[in-house]
Amino acid sequence: MSIVRVAVIGIGNMGVAHARTLVAGEVPGAELVAVCDVRREMESWVSSHLPATVTYWQDAEQMMASGTIDAVIIATPHYDHPEQAIQAFQHGLHVMIEKPAGVYTKQVRKMNEASAASGKVFSMMYNQRTNPLYIKLRDLIASGELGEVRRTNWIITNWYRSQSYYDSGGWRATWAGEGGGVLINQDPHQLDLWQWTIGMMPVRMRAFCSFGKYRNIEVEDDVTAYVEYENGATGVFVTTTGEAPGTNRFEVNGDRGKIVIEDGKLTFWRLRESEPEFNQRFTGGFGQPECWKCEIPITGVETGHPGLIRNWVDAIRTGVPLIAPGEDGIHGLTLSNAMLLSTWTDNWVDLPMNEDLFYEHLQERIAGSTTKKDKAFSGSQPADLSQTFK
């Protein structure tokens, strides 16, 4: 395929950004040929801001069946991601979806199955996987430089959001409109990186989510979760949108030292010998392994959303490996679903989790939501071009 004909579904903040990336020629081998949004008024925006060669569609499935496109970028509300991706696969199209993969893993699993059956290229918009800091952390762990992982700790509390942010749309921070709060809206990147960098998922979890703790909303805005891994390691994940000033600190401890990512730097406290080796030979009363504080050089540039789109198009055209395979989206979503389920049931949750039980609890909250799903904003997040809310 010499040129991949791409369509963007959902002309909201992210959809607009992706359309502009393609129109600007930042993705060699790709051309924006169509956009789709359920709001008829967006047709005038398309004609005013995009080339005349870009067609506007109001019905996504009609566009998919038109034969005029090869691939779609889906930037619609969370609940729509899996459904529209499945439709695209059925029409023989390549797919890239915005985060999160969906709202509940039961639906996302069906999307992954449809992807596997289609044989098409499927990618997630996990742009933080292009961040050299996390690439280096993943490399240091995978290569054995840190030794066996013993503990992880991520404090991600710099997602401050005011009440006015939540009041900007009736669909925001509702079970029916977004499907959750800080875990589904702000944290998908961190939840993905948490498991992607260390190369393993927890085997069980106990979490405590607070709903509307700091803001007048119905979903979670403060979370503390404790996890256990198969090798005996433990981890803690803390997040909120109601704290200022916030913190973004990811710490991973292994038997050969400790790595911390904070303030745009990666620091490695490297042990000269592993802790188990030192412990076995040491006979003094007090002491610890010799430790070197290393400022690890970080090379490369974060390519973000454009870089991921380029990688996806290259995978379609030449078969290069994907940075963020679409099937990976279920992992971070599993973590957020498990945190909510642990809170709702006031109990431990084993992983893999009971997807049917989570779905049942979610439906109960949707039924009582202040925004019914059929009345929630559909098609995309509002395209306010002066803002880039996430």
Side-chain angles (χ1 to χ4, degrees):
M1 186 178 294
S2 57
I3 297 293
V4 180
R5 300 171 299 171
V6 180
V8 175
I9 305 176
I11 307 302
N13 293 309
M14 294 314 304
V16 166
H18 302 327
R20 286 177 167 170
T21 293
L22 290 161
V23 168
E26 295 183 42
V27 185
E31 178 185 4
L32 180 69
V33 298
V35 295
C36 178
D37 196 287
V38 297
R39 298 167 295 169
R40 173 58 69 180
E41 63 267 26
M42 291 307 297
E43 184 173 11
S44 62
W45 183 89
V46 171
S47 62
S48 300
H49 294 82
L50 298 178
T53 53
V54 179
T55 59
Y56 164 80
W57 296 77
Q58 191 174 17
D59 187 293
E61 191 154 21
Q62 286 182 5
M63 181 185 70
M64 293 178 190
S66 68
T68 62
I69 63 175
D70 305 308
V72 295
I73 297 176
I74 298 172
T76 50
H78 306 157
Y79 281 103
D80 295 334
H81 293 177
E83 179 182 351
Q84 291 177 330
I86 290 171
Q87 290 176 345
F89 291 132
Q90 291 172 342
H91 287 287
L93 302 175
H94 304 284
V95 175
M96 170 171 266
I97 61 173
E98 262 295 343
K99 58 84 179 171
V103 175
Y104 52 96
T105 57
K106 186 175 181 179
Q107 186 185 32
V108 170
R109 195 171 301 282
K110 293 179 180 178
M111 175 178 67
N112 287 354
E113 292 169 356
S115 169
S118 73
K120 297 301 178 179
V121 178
F122 179 32
S123 185
M124 276 288 302
M125 198 66 81
Y126 278 150
N127 54 287
Q128 282 300 299
R129 288 196 183 189
T130 71
N131 187 325
L133 288 168
Y134 299 110
I135 293 173
K136 176 59 72 172
L137 173 62
R138 177 178 163 89
D139 172 61
L140 290 171
I141 294 174
S143 66
E145 193 72 22
L146 186 62
E148 183 178 22
V149 172
R150 289 182 161 184
R151 181 174 56 81
T152 66
N153 182 21
W154 203 327
I155 302 174
I156 174 68
T157 58
N158 62 346
W159 288 123
Y160 184 80
R161 295 293 185 268
S162 65
Q163 186 65 47
S164 61
Y165 164 84
Y166 293 114
D167 292 344
S168 67
W171 53 276
R172 286 194 183 278
T174 62
W175 294 113
E178 285 196 280
V182 62
L183 292 173
I184 201 74
N185 192 325
Q186 284 79 32
D187 281 325
H189 292 300
Q190 285 72 41
L191 292 172
D192 172 61
L193 293 171
W194 191 19
Q195 56 81 32
W196 182 70
T197 54
I198 68 173
M200 59 183 179
M201 287 279 286
V203 293
R204 71 171 191 154
M205 172 188 297
R206 183 67 175 95
F208 302 88
C209 302
S210 295
F211 305 95
K213 181 176 182 178
Y214 298 113
R215 302 290 180 260
N216 183 25
I217 58 177
E218 62 188 40
V219 295
E220 82 283 353
D221 61 355
D222 187 84
V223 178
T224 298
Y226 168 82
V227 302
E228 295 178 349
Y229 300 93
E230 187 174 10
N231 72 339
T234 61
V236 175
F237 189 87
V238 178
T239 189
T240 182
T241 54
E243 196 169 291
T247 297
N248 184 358
R249 176 185 171 93
F250 185 26
E251 179 176 318
V252 184
N253 181 276
D255 63 27
R256 294 198 65 88
K258 176 179 71 175
I259 295 176
V260 174
I261 293 180
E262 188 174 22
D263 297 330
K265 297 190 300 182
L266 185 152
T267 305
F268 187 5
W269 283 267
R270 188 181 186 279
L271 301 183
R272 186 173 185 181
E273 60 182 321
S274 73
E275 187 280 326
E277 291 172 349
F278 172 84
N279 184 59
Q280 185 174 25
R281 71 166 181 79
F282 184 68
T283 57
F286 296 93
Q288 59 181 329
E290 183 178 338
C291 180
W292 308 328
K293 183 180 179 181
C294 306
E295 298 293 341
I296 302 296
I298 303 298
T299 58
V301 177
E302 181 179 345
T303 57
H305 297 105
L308 275 189
I309 298 174
R310 287 193 291 268
N311 172 248
W312 173 57
V313 169
D314 287 344
I316 294 171
R317 297 177 66 223
T318 65
V320 301
L322 287 170
I323 295 172
E327 292 81 3
D328 285 3
I330 199 169
H331 302 314
L333 185 63
T334 295
L335 295 173
S336 66
N337 280 187
M339 290 178 193
L340 289 171
L341 184 59
S342 175
T343 301
W344 290 337
T345 60
D346 195 19
N347 208 341
W348 287 89
V349 170
D350 292 328
L351 300 178
M353 59 176 282
N354 186 331
E355 296 178 344
D356 291 328
L357 182 60
F358 177 85
Y359 180 76
E360 291 172 9
H361 277 272
L362 177 63
Q363 294 309 303
E364 292 175 5
R365 281 149 185 85
I366 291 174
S369 179
T370 57
T371 301
K372 302 303 179 185
K373 186 173 187 298
D374 58 354
K375 296 181 181 179
F377 190 90
S378 59
S380 64
Q381 294 184 7
D384 181 348
L385 304 185
S386 67
Q387 303 181 72
T388 55
F389 287 157
K390 290 185 179 179

